[in-house]
Amino acid sequence: MQGQDAEVIHRLIHDPEVAVLTGSVHTSAPQPSSWSVEALRETYQQWSTSEDRLVLAVIERKTETMVGEVVLNDWHEENRSCGFRTLIGPEGRGKGLGTEATRMIIRYGLQSLGLHRISLEVYDFNPRARHVYEKVGFTHEGTGRDALWFEDRWVDVHYMSILDTDIFGGASSR
């Protein structure tokens, strides 16, 4: 993705469900975003040439519409590891696009980039995402209790990861 996708990302992060499920807000009441289109354009332009992340658009094939993003970030070269995050807007939900995009970028990271470990965090109130991650092969590693204050209650976060050996078997090579 590049800077020209900023308008779409701006719309997606303003979707109330995206804001809540990513832990970006502390209430489901509509809130203004601190991200302007210009700030997003600048950030995504920088990310498009960054060596510590890969940010890819999720495109709905029938309409050729961008409906979200998948991201490998915080690469640690020596450990051959990184983080993963995704967001899918309303137009992309319920079509299997999140599962397909997640599976594709995870395989690319483990196989083509030579990563050994990819990790993520998912909040307790997002079982749909957790189901996708488990279906792709992520394993639950632990729970961060009371990690997010949301609508006057604490919400746990679940830590998950996937290893190259989970997908391709055998011992991981250094």
Side-chain angles (χ1 to χ4, degrees):
M1 288 187 7
Q2 299 201 1
Q4 71 264 22
D5 299 313
E7 290 84 6
V8 176
I9 291 295
H10 190 262
R11 183 175 43 79
L12 292 176
I13 65 175
H14 279 87
D15 174 63
E17 189 170 343
V18 166
V20 168
L21 295 178
T22 59
S24 301
V25 294
H26 299 280
T27 177
S28 56
Q31 298 175 27
S33 171
S34 59
W35 288 92
S36 68
V37 172
E38 272 310 308
L40 286 167
R41 184 174 288 116
E42 186 176 312
T43 298
Y44 277 83
Q45 192 61 44
Q46 289 173 351
W47 286 352
S48 72
T49 59
S50 176
E51 293 188 16
D52 73 338
R53 70 185 60 239
L54 175 63
V55 182
L56 299 176
V58 176
I59 306 294
E60 204 272 326
R61 289 181 188 157
K62 290 180 186 171
T63 62
E64 296 187 14
T65 303
M66 180 179 162
V67 296
E69 68 178 4
V70 287
V71 180
L72 297 177
N73 58 2
D74 300 325
W75 287 354
H76 190 283
E77 187 175 349
E78 187 66 24
N79 289 335
R80 294 178 38 222
S81 66
C82 72
F84 171 74
R85 69 174 176 77
T86 184
L87 67 85
I88 302 293
E91 301 89 4
R93 292 187 198 125
K95 300 176 181 180
L97 297 174
T99 302
E100 180 183 6
T102 298
R103 186 173 283 123
M104 289 172 70
I105 197 169
I106 296 306
R107 282 194 158 276
Y108 179 77
L110 297 174
Q111 196 167 36
S112 299
L113 298 178
L115 293 169
H116 170 63
R117 173 186 162 81
I118 300 173
S119 60
L120 63 82
E121 297 179 3
V122 60
Y123 290 104
D124 198 45
F125 54 45
N126 195 352
R128 181 175 61 206
R130 184 166 173 180
H131 174 73
V132 167
Y133 302 144
E134 289 171 340
K135 187 164 47 170
V136 169
F138 279 86
T139 299
H140 182 258
E141 295 183 319
T143 300
R145 299 177 306 146
D146 294 353
L148 176 71
W149 182 250
F150 183 80
E151 295 197 338
D152 298 325
R153 69 180 180 94
W154 289 107
V155 178
D156 293 346
V157 66
H158 301 285
Y159 302 106
M160 302 180 79
S161 75
I162 190 167
L163 306 178
D164 58 352
T165 53
D166 295 336
I167 300 296
F168 305 115
S172 177
S173 65
R174 184 77 186 126

